[in-house]
Amino acid sequence: MLYSDELIGEVLSANDIVDVISSYVALKRSGRGLVGLCPFHSEKTPSFSVSPDKQLYHCFGCGEGGSVLTFIMKMENLDFVEGIKFLADRAHIALPEPEMSESVDKHFKKKQRLISANTYAAKFFYNCLISEDGKTARDYFDSRALSPKTAAQFGLGFAPDKKNSLTEHLKTLGFKENELVDFGLAIIKDNKYIDKFRNRVMFPIIDVRGNVIGFGGRVMDDSKPKYLNSPETVAFNKRLNLFALNFAKNKKDDTLILVEGYMDVIALHQVGINNVVATLGTALTEEQSRLIARFAKNVVLCYDTDEAGVKATMRAIDIFSKTDCRVKVLSLVGAKDPDEYIKAHGGGSEAFLSAVKKAVPATMFRINVLKKNYDIDNSIDDKISFISEAAKILLSTNNMVEVDAYADMLSKNYDIKKESVYAEIKKLGSKQDRQTMGRVVRQSASAGVSKNEAAKQSGNQMPPSLKGAISPIEKAEKSLLSLIFSNRAASKMAQNELASEEYSNEIHKKLAKICYDAWDSGTPPDTARIVSSFESSYSGYVTKVLMDKSVYDDEVSATADLLITIKQEKLKKRISEETNPAVLMQLLKQQADLKQKRGGAPL
């Protein structure tokens, strides 16, 4: 899908990468750039770097990198044209209809058609709910104390107990039966097309941009399956979305409450508690935790209080520990879920909001759950094991003030010296570090990487052509490419000494040519266009090259030095392979000349 280069440039220029990424990731100044926790993988130590000068981001942990457009496409799960539209809307730039390649046009139209079909389906289900045939569904919602106003707000509906009522309705609107199967609205049974959802109350799943991307259907009796969700499609991925986030994103505070079910969300919204979301029939995913972290600094987990609910809470705490969110846990006394709790306390919001204020910090919740496994009062061994396991919990905590507070609490409550708690944390930390490095070395060794390189490259993506230990020539070329990308004089010097086709691998050749051509045309190389010129599997490596953090007193002198290094390394290789004495003498003379040019530096 193609807009003009000029228009794309205008959109990208109007969206500063720091401003955009700061709305998703907490960034801190570090030298000339900014760093934060990577939104694309789980980490506790920031390795995600943003360069305002180069308008690039790169994670030195997982290797992801790119421009502001790349970032938005990944974070919002958008294709190219949707990413451009997103950034254009953000900058209040009007876009014309784009030109499209055939393959992208097909994907885009399919996604839009699916959303259109879902929107018509949602209206169909709602009309069925308020029709004469929907009395059973209305009675069910009445039994759950949901008002017609709430049903309308969430677009709740009813799928009739008929084989193909929705299918036939959508066919009249121009949709084909095989399309509806692909969209997850119909299935094939006994060689006939029938509705996927039948005799269920319906919950539309709406993304943050207001698109109906899928449905959840619930039975009104004890039949199975209790819930039936849309399958994954070009528009719907349950790992990447949350129920009711389209409402909760407009909340006035910086807290989100995460509950387990659709009905819990709706019951809380009905009493005016609007900062509530739920997962989509699955356990919390890392992608969902990062999505929540975009909209909230504080998270309150409110899962069922049974054993399964406690396990789900513990897992969610672990997932959120890799974000910047502060997590608390709300355990509702006398009720298994928020819906039941609200009904038991008069149907208002006061009791629930009061309980939220008493929510326990995640670390305290984990320690309290742990404590139930030990007979601390009557067994010294149990007490020792409990303190050791509690130290593991503190080891996973990023906030040192919090660690100190809980170490103090453990010391006072269980008659243990605070120094002993810290000693245990330190011992566990050292063991964990050794295990982590050992794992990295083992994995890298299997790929043919030396132990020293494994330590340096742990977690960094490399394109297939550069897997394994990087050669001295490639290492020097990487530094040179970073210089010619940002310095016109360096680029001119390098171009005169080293043509783009003389670089050692295809990625370096292409990068050099783009930079040379840009400076020749009188304009600096454009970061977004560079990144988009490479396959996505190479984008991380490309941004790593461009965001080289080396600092030089004189970038032109550094360029000259790197060019000599590259020539020396190439000569070394030729000398080691040459068998003709006359040619060998010429090569050795060239080597001596380079050594003298560098001022006698050792080869």
Side-chain angles (χ1 to χ4, degrees):
M1 192 164 296
L2 301 174
Y3 291 105
S4 70
D5 287 347
E6 292 75 15
L7 183 57
I8 292 174
E10 180 185 354
V11 171
L12 298 182
S13 296
N15 286 274
D16 179 76
I17 195 167
V18 175
D19 291 342
V20 173
I21 293 182
S22 292
S23 63
Y24 298 85
V25 179
L27 297 175
K28 296 179 180 179
R29 179 64 61 178
S30 177
R32 295 176 63 181
L34 301 101
V35 297
L37 294 176
C38 180
F40 303 122
H41 84 288
S42 300
E43 63 177 8
K44 295 180 181 180
T45 302
S47 59
F48 182 81
S49 180
V50 181
S51 170
D53 298 334
K54 298 179 179 179
Q55 290 292 295
L56 288 172
Y57 71 89
H58 183 82
C59 177
F60 292 88
C62 68
E64 290 288 349
S67 65
V68 65
L69 177 58
T70 315
F71 181 85
I72 282 298
M73 288 170 65
K74 287 190 69 67
M75 285 299 297
E76 296 286 350
N77 192 31
L78 304 176
D79 57 31
F80 175 83
V81 73
E82 290 171 331
I84 291 293
K85 285 183 175 180
F86 182 100
L87 292 174
D89 289 343
R90 185 179 182 276
H92 306 294
I93 296 174
L95 292 177
E97 285 300 313
E99 300 174 7
M100 306 178 189
S101 67
E102 185 177 347
S103 60
V104 176
D105 180 30
K106 184 177 180 181
H107 174 85
F108 177 74
K109 287 183 176 178
K110 180 179 180 180
K111 187 172 182 179
Q112 295 305 307
R113 192 161 173 81
L114 186 155
I115 290 171
S116 177
N118 281 344
T119 302
Y120 283 122
K123 292 177 180 176
F124 174 82
F125 291 140
Y126 179 74
N127 287 332
C128 289
L129 174 67
I130 62 177
S131 71
E132 189 174 320
D133 291 339
K135 186 178 185 306
T136 303
R138 293 196 302 276
D139 289 343
Y140 172 79
F141 285 138
D142 285 341
S143 72
R144 302 296 300 265
L146 293 185
S147 69
K149 180 180 178 182
T150 299
Q153 178 188 358
F154 280 86
L156 305 184
F158 170 60
D161 192 13
K162 299 175 182 177
K163 285 190 175 181
N164 57 1
S165 57
L166 175 64
T167 302
E168 291 300 318
H169 173 70
L170 292 177
K171 282 169 61 179
T172 66
L173 297 173
F175 293 95
K176 298 177 182 179
E177 290 173 323
N178 61 333
E179 274 188 306
L180 300 180
V181 173
D182 198 24
F183 295 166
L185 294 170
I187 59 174
I188 300 175
K189 187 174 182 180
D190 299 328
N191 295 319
K192 293 181 180 180
Y193 292 93
I194 62 174
D195 295 348
K196 178 180 178 67
F197 299 100
R198 300 185 304 279
N199 196 32
R200 291 173 180 268
V201 289
M202 300 298 296
F203 302 84
I205 299 168
I206 302 171
D207 67 16
V208 292
R209 294 177 294 280
N211 298 315
V212 182
I213 56 175
F215 294 93
R218 190 194 192 284
V219 297
M220 294 168 283
D221 52 25
D222 295 327
S223 57
K224 303 293 182 181
K226 182 179 178 181
Y227 277 101
L228 184 64
N229 287 326
S230 293
E232 293 197 357
T233 64
V234 293
F236 177 56
N237 185 330
K238 57 191 174 185
R239 293 180 60 86
L240 304 178
N241 293 277
L242 292 158
F243 183 71
L245 185 59
N246 56 308
F247 294 122
K249 69 174 184 175
N250 299 318
K251 62 190 171 34
K252 294 180 180 180
D253 59 23
D254 60 357
T255 299
L256 274 176
I257 301 171
L258 180 62
V259 298
E260 288 191 276
Y262 302 152
M263 291 300 297
D264 292 325
V265 172
I266 296 171
L268 289 168
H269 275 257
Q270 182 168 263
V271 297
I273 303 173
N274 301 319
N275 58 331
V276 190
V277 296
T279 54
L280 300 172
T282 61
L284 179 74
T285 66
E286 291 187 0
E287 294 89 344
Q288 288 167 335
S289 73
R290 293 194 287 268
L291 180 60
I292 287 172
R294 283 170 43 195
F295 295 96
K297 294 180 180 178
N298 303 293
V299 177
V300 177
L301 301 175
C302 186
Y303 286 177
D304 290 354
T305 54
D306 57 13
E307 184 179 351
V310 171
K311 286 183 179 179
T313 300
M314 296 287 278
R315 183 176 181 276
I317 290 171
D318 184 56
I319 290 174
F320 275 115
S321 71
K322 298 153 191 171
T323 71
D324 287 330
C325 293
R326 292 186 293 272
V327 181
K328 290 187 175 183
V329 179
L330 171 58
S331 299
L332 298 173
V333 179
K336 67 176 176 35
D337 56 43
D339 186 25
E340 186 177 290
Y341 190 84
I342 289 171
K343 291 186 178 73
H345 291 81
S349 63
E350 293 81 6
F352 186 84
L353 291 175
S354 178
V356 169
K357 291 179 181 178
K358 300 174 184 175
V360 176
T363 301
M364 179 60 79
F365 178 83
R366 294 174 69 188
I367 291 173
N368 288 342
V369 171
L370 175 67
K371 185 180 175 182
K372 295 177 182 178
N373 299 325
Y374 298 96
D375 185 7
I376 296 170
D377 295 330
N378 299 307
S379 170
I380 293 295
D381 287 342
D382 274 17
K383 185 175 181 179
I384 293 171
S385 297
F386 166 71
I387 294 298
S388 180
E389 291 299 313
K392 289 182 182 179
I393 293 175
L394 298 188
L395 181 62
S396 66
T397 303
N398 294 325
N399 190 317
M400 288 308 299
V401 175
E402 184 179 1
V403 171
D404 191 66
Y406 281 104
D408 191 55
M409 182 271 290
L410 289 171
S411 172
K412 292 177 180 177
N413 289 1
Y414 304 105
D415 194 25
I416 296 288
K417 289 183 179 180
K418 191 173 180 179
E419 292 77 10
S420 299
V421 178
Y422 273 117
E424 185 67 14
I425 294 172
K426 184 177 180 180
K427 181 183 77 174
L428 292 168
S430 298
K431 181 180 179 182
Q432 187 180 84
D433 288 343
R434 289 194 301 272
Q435 290 174 339
T436 300
M437 181 52 67
R439 184 170 63 253
V440 169
V441 169
R442 287 194 299 274
Q443 291 172 345
S444 300
S446 66
V449 184
S450 69
K451 290 185 178 182
N452 289 337
E453 279 298 321
K456 294 177 183 177
Q457 297 179 10
S458 59
N460 291 337
Q461 273 188 343
M462 296 286 278
S465 64
L466 289 175
K467 281 184 178 177
I470 189 167
S471 71
I473 293 177
E474 288 170 328
K475 185 177 180 181
E477 286 178 356
K478 284 175 63 180
S479 298
L480 180 63
L481 286 165
S482 177
L483 285 170
I484 68 173
F485 166 70
S486 57
N487 188 302
R488 183 195 299 269
S491 178
K492 181 57 68 177
M493 175 182 285
Q495 190 173 4
N496 290 336
E497 298 271 343
L498 189 68
S500 59
E501 61 270 18
E502 294 180 293
Y503 283 74
S504 59
N505 63 64
E506 294 305 315
I507 299 175
H508 289 188
K509 290 175 183 178
K510 187 173 182 178
L511 260 177
K513 187 175 190 312
I514 292 172
C515 291
Y516 290 164
D517 289 349
W519 287 118
D520 283 347
S521 69
T523 59
D526 182 271
T527 55
R529 291 178 188 175
I530 288 177
V531 173
S532 64
S533 298
F534 290 87
E535 295 178 19
S536 59
S537 60
Y538 297 129
S539 62
Y541 179 78
V542 170
T543 54
K544 183 180 180 182
V545 171
L546 299 182
M547 289 182 67
D548 183 273
K549 293 185 176 182
S550 301
V551 178
Y552 305 97
D553 293 332
D554 184 334
E555 292 189 343
V556 175
S557 296
T559 300
D561 193 59
L562 287 166
L563 287 166
I564 292 175
T565 298
I566 292 168
K567 290 178 181 180
Q568 285 179 327
E569 291 297 330
K570 287 185 175 183
L571 274 173
K572 280 184 185 179
K573 188 173 186 298
R574 289 185 62 189
I575 289 170
S576 67
E577 297 171 349
E578 187 57 57
T579 56
N580 185 315
V583 175
L584 184 59
M585 288 297 295
Q586 292 177 352
L587 294 177
L588 289 171
K589 185 178 184 306
Q590 292 177 31
Q591 188 182 50
D593 290 342
L594 283 174
K595 180 179 179 181
Q596 187 176 13
K597 190 174 182 180
R598 184 171 246 175
L603 296 177

